[in-house]
Amino acid sequence: MEPAHALVTGASAGIGAAFARELAARGHALILTARRSERLEALAAELRAGHGVDVQCIACDLADPAAPQFLCEEAARRGLVVDTLVNNAGYGVTGTFLSRPWATHADFVQVMMTAPTELCHRLLPGMRARGDGRIVNVASLAGLLPAPAGHTLYAASKAYLIKFSQALALENRPHGIRVCALCPGFTYSEFHDVNGARELVQDMPRWLWMDAAPVVREAFAALERGDVVRVSGRVNRAIKGFFKLLPDRLALRLIDKRGKDFRVADDSPAPPR
């Protein structure tokens, strides 16, 4: 029988690659998915050589509504059982809501909300039948704070993942399945290069940043404890606590003032469709 595999989305870089490395170091077989097949294959070769685990690569774009079904069916076709799901794939869309065409937002919602939700729906029945499973939904500290202008749907999508994970955890705990929403703050990765905010964030204090590896280790520790929501790092937990104490109006005013340090809020018109 094939060993159970962990499915990691957005595995080609950043937190996703760190999840893959940590799982491989723990001896877990893997299914890696992302758009860049060459990056996936390079990581897979590294993990096979370093840890002797089976690593399968399935390249796809989660912006395609057919991708979640394709992923699950391809894993089943290869005879792979998924006992761990890491919904990590994600990115940010710069600018204000009306500065981008609807197609851009539709792709974002598909990747950030619909795809992880569908993957949970498709893979949970098997986990329940086996009486064991783990799901990590990579959310963000942004989902727990007031949302600044710019990147309009980002914090909203992360807040959705947090609430979704809470309900999912309560529904599935009696079936031996643990669910955790991981909420990192600023993490060293390609995230800000891809969304065009690198110049904004590069001057931010180093104490606000974490490496991806300790963020991932916190996620596994949280799963083992049964934590449903885990904010990574003491600094980020302090930030969350600070904003929780503020009146809503003051918190929103403060995040509006500081949001310009890390959010691109270009309000130029959307390009023609």
Side-chain angles (χ1 to χ4, degrees):
M1 179 182 293
E2 284 280 352
H5 285 64
L7 171 58
V8 182
T9 71
S12 61
I15 293 175
F19 264 108
R21 291 188 173 100
E22 181 68 22
L23 283 159
R26 293 168 178 244
H28 209 297
L30 294 163
I31 304 168
L32 306 181
T33 186
R35 292 176 300 165
R36 298 174 290 188
S37 59
E38 68 284 352
R39 295 280 293 268
L40 287 180
E41 293 295 347
L43 177 59
E46 171 198 324
L47 300 179
R48 292 184 195 113
H51 302 287
V53 296
D54 179 50
V55 184
Q56 304 271 337
C57 296
I58 306 175
C60 70
D61 185 354
L62 290 176
D64 179 355
Q69 181 176 351
F70 166 75
L71 268 176
C72 295
E73 290 180 349
E74 179 62 17
R77 187 188 69 80
R78 299 185 190 187
L80 309 177
V81 171
V82 177
D83 72 342
T84 300
L85 170 63
V86 180
N87 278 313
N88 166 76
Y91 62 103
V93 174
T94 59
T96 59
F97 187 57
L98 291 181
S99 71
R100 299 293 177 262
W102 173 246
T104 298
H105 295 312
D107 285 350
F108 181 85
V109 170
Q110 172 64 36
V111 172
M112 303 290 282
M113 299 169 66
T114 306
T117 305
E118 183 176 350
L119 285 172
C120 288
H121 193 268
R122 289 184 177 278
L123 294 173
L124 269 169
M127 294 181 185
R128 280 194 175 198
R130 295 184 296 274
D132 181 58
R134 296 182 295 178
I135 296 173
V136 179
N137 291 318
V138 179
S140 171
L141 176 63
L144 297 165
L145 303 180
H151 302 220
T152 318
L153 296 180
Y154 185 78
S157 71
K158 296 304 188 179
Y160 166 80
L161 279 181
I162 293 167
K163 295 301 183 183
F164 173 57
S165 298
Q166 289 173 330
L168 212 60
L170 294 177
E171 291 174 3
N172 290 282
R173 185 176 290 164
H175 301 277
I177 299 164
R178 297 187 179 191
V179 181
C180 179
L182 176 65
C183 299
F186 291 108
T187 306
Y188 290 115
S189 70
E190 297 179 354
F191 180 86
H192 294 99
D193 299 303
V194 173
N195 70 18
R198 174 60 60 193
E199 290 187 10
L200 274 180
V201 302
Q202 65 185 3
D203 294 328
M204 297 183 71
R206 289 188 178 183
W207 51 265
L208 280 174
W209 293 84
M210 291 184 68
D211 290 321
V215 169
V216 167
R217 288 194 293 270
E218 282 201 38
F220 284 107
L223 277 172
E224 290 165 7
R225 289 191 303 268
D227 295 349
V228 176
V229 178
R230 178 63 179 180
V231 178
S232 303
R234 294 179 181 177
V235 169
N236 293 319
R237 289 192 287 274
I239 291 171
K240 176 200 169 189
F242 171 71
F243 273 93
K244 193 173 182 179
L245 293 173
L246 294 178
D248 289 347
R249 181 177 296 182
L250 180 57
L252 193 60
R253 188 181 307 160
L254 180 59
I255 206 73
D256 181 45
K257 181 178 179 181
R258 304 308 306 176
K260 298 177 180 64
D261 295 338
F262 56 89
R263 286 285 185 265
V264 178
D266 174 31
D267 203 22
S268 57
R273 288 174 174 80

